[in-house]
Amino acid sequence: MGEKTNLQLGVVGALFLSVASSVSIVICNKALMSNLGFPFATTLTSWHLMVTFVTLHVALRFNFFENKPIDMKTVMLFGILNGVSIGFLNLSLGFNSIGFYQMTKLAIIPFTVLLETIFLKKQFRRNIKFSLLILLLGVGIASITDLQLNFVGTVLSLLAIVTTCVGQILTNTIQKRLNISSTQLLYQSAPYQAAILFVTGPLVDQFLTKKNVFAYKYSNVVLGFILLSCLIAVSVNFSTFLVIGKTSPVTYQVLGHLKTCLVLGFGYTLLHDPFTSRNILGILVAIVGMGLYSYFCTLETKKKQPGDHSAPQVKEKDIATPLLAGKDGYQDKENHETKKLSKDSLV
């Protein structure tokens, strides 16, 4: 009983840390990109990951966690996939309208459900699907304003959806099947994610913003906000892997939409962003969907046998499938929220 209580407290703590750090980094990046004119989101993400790796390396030296070797091919492909997904998400935002980009984010949940059903043989109950539908409807009402389609943008959005879903599923699968912690997986994969974004980030940012990150004039204030953003990102990255490992990719996406609602609310109260009755209606509908999702997940948890620690929203058949056939930079998703709040950073 005590072990079960500790597990529940761990999940609640991970969820709270994820929400608090994600909302904090959105506010920080909002100031950095909109007010201070630093639009280089992809490059900034590579710095986030480098600081995350250095922080974890220091923590390892002080024995805060134990390093566990992972197959080099697995962790390398996982890290590269995560880095590529961030690039595709940035390009998707650059080539599409804000409304279509929001549609892309909403599509991640149903596509994740589809992939887990097909490849991991998970069965999502009807009430879970119903609650997710209400959630997506609410977030859509609150955040989607315009829909402009183009071929290149659509292709990039599809690639962003696929790579993001696969990366998040692998984040959960690798931790459970290799019996490693979120910290161990993040420590092993962060260098590869940082490397690919460090190389491609300046090119992607220059293509999207028509500005060179190396020619930017860095003031002390800008450097201070970049440092603050990198420090918050350590918590964002850590909590992301922790939440996905302790729950599931779908639950993490549900949490992500809660962050979207909070960001809209904070944008109105703190930054005086435009806020309409449609935003309020959408947020209320989304909250109802989140409440139903939590309620149905709680019922599923109570029905499970003692000792069954699988994700609460699904029934998973016992199956052995390869980890990789032969994905943080998740805080960059929070950068997208910042860019959504200020579209002038895309120009």
Side-chain angles (χ1 to χ4, degrees), residues 92-104 144-150 153 157 343 346:
S92 173
L93 181 57
F95 275 88
N96 293 305
S97 65
I98 296 298
F100 191 80
Y101 174 73
Q102 283 300 114
M103 284 290 293
T104 299
I144 295 177
T145 54
D146 61 319
L147 283 176
Q148 299 175 11
L149 304 180
N150 65 82
S157 292
K343 191 172 182 177
L346 300 176

Side-chain angles (χ1 to χ4, degrees), residues 109-124 129 166 169 177 314-317 319-322:
I109 284 184
F111 196 79
T112 300
V113 171
L114 178 64
L115 288 180
E116 290 194 309
T117 301
I118 295 175
F119 296 104
L120 299 182
K121 308 304 179 184
K122 291 185 177 180
Q123 298 178 1
F124 291 78
K129 295 178 182 178
V166 173
I169 291 172
R177 296 194 177 174
V314 298
K315 296 186 296 182
E316 184 175 358
K317 296 180 181 178
I319 179 171
T321 55

Side-chain angles (χ1 to χ4, degrees), residues 5-199:
T5 302
N6 290 336
L7 178 63
Q8 292 174 341
L9 290 175
V11 172
V12 172
L15 295 175
F16 177 80
L17 179 62
S18 179
V19 171
S21 57
S22 295
V23 173
S24 298
I25 203 170
V26 167
I27 295 174
C28 178
N29 289 350
K30 166 77 172 179
L32 180 60
M33 295 181 183
S34 302
N35 301 337
L36 299 176
F38 184 85
F40 310 107
T42 311
T43 303
L44 180 62
T45 302
S46 70
W47 298 345
H48 287 171
L49 286 160
M50 284 188 284
V51 172
T52 297
F53 173 73
V54 171
T55 303
L56 291 178
H57 188 69
V58 172
L60 178 64
R61 291 292 184 181
F62 282 92
N63 297 318
F64 283 102
F65 71 96
E66 180 182 352
N67 187 28
K68 184 174 181 179
I70 307 174
D71 175 66
M72 180 64 70
K73 180 181 177 182
T74 297
V75 73
M76 184 181 295
L77 292 177
F78 172 76
I80 292 174
L81 180 62
N82 271 301
V84 169
S85 76
I86 293 169
F88 280 138
L89 281 167
N90 269 332
L91 289 171
S92 173
L93 181 57
F95 275 88
N96 293 305
S97 65
I98 296 298
F100 191 80
Y101 174 73
Q102 283 300 114
M103 284 290 293
T104 299
K105 291 180 63 180
L106 293 178
I108 291 176
I109 284 184
F111 196 79
T112 300
V113 171
L114 178 64
L115 288 180
E116 290 194 309
T117 301
I118 295 175
F119 296 104
L120 299 182
K121 308 304 179 184
K122 291 185 177 180
Q123 298 178 1
F124 291 78
R125 294 185 181 275
R126 188 171 300 177
N127 52 11
I128 294 294
K129 295 178 182 178
F130 175 70
S131 64
L132 291 174
L133 178 62
I134 294 178
L135 166 65
L136 296 176
L137 177 64
V139 175
I141 293 173
S143 60
I144 295 177
T145 54
D146 61 319
L147 283 176
Q148 299 175 11
L149 304 180
N150 65 82
F151 178 74
V152 175
T154 301
V155 171
L156 289 171
S157 292
L158 291 174
L159 291 172
I161 292 170
V162 172
T163 53
T164 299
C165 291
V166 173
Q168 292 182 1
I169 291 172
L170 286 176
T171 300
N172 177 271
T173 305
I174 290 175
Q175 289 185 56
K176 291 184 175 178
R177 296 194 177 174
L178 297 184
N179 193 28
I180 60 176
S181 69
S182 56
T183 308
Q184 291 168 333
L185 179 58
L186 179 58
Y187 177 71
Q188 294 276 349
S189 62
Y192 298 103
Q193 298 178 60
I196 191 170
L197 290 176
F198 188 76
V199 173

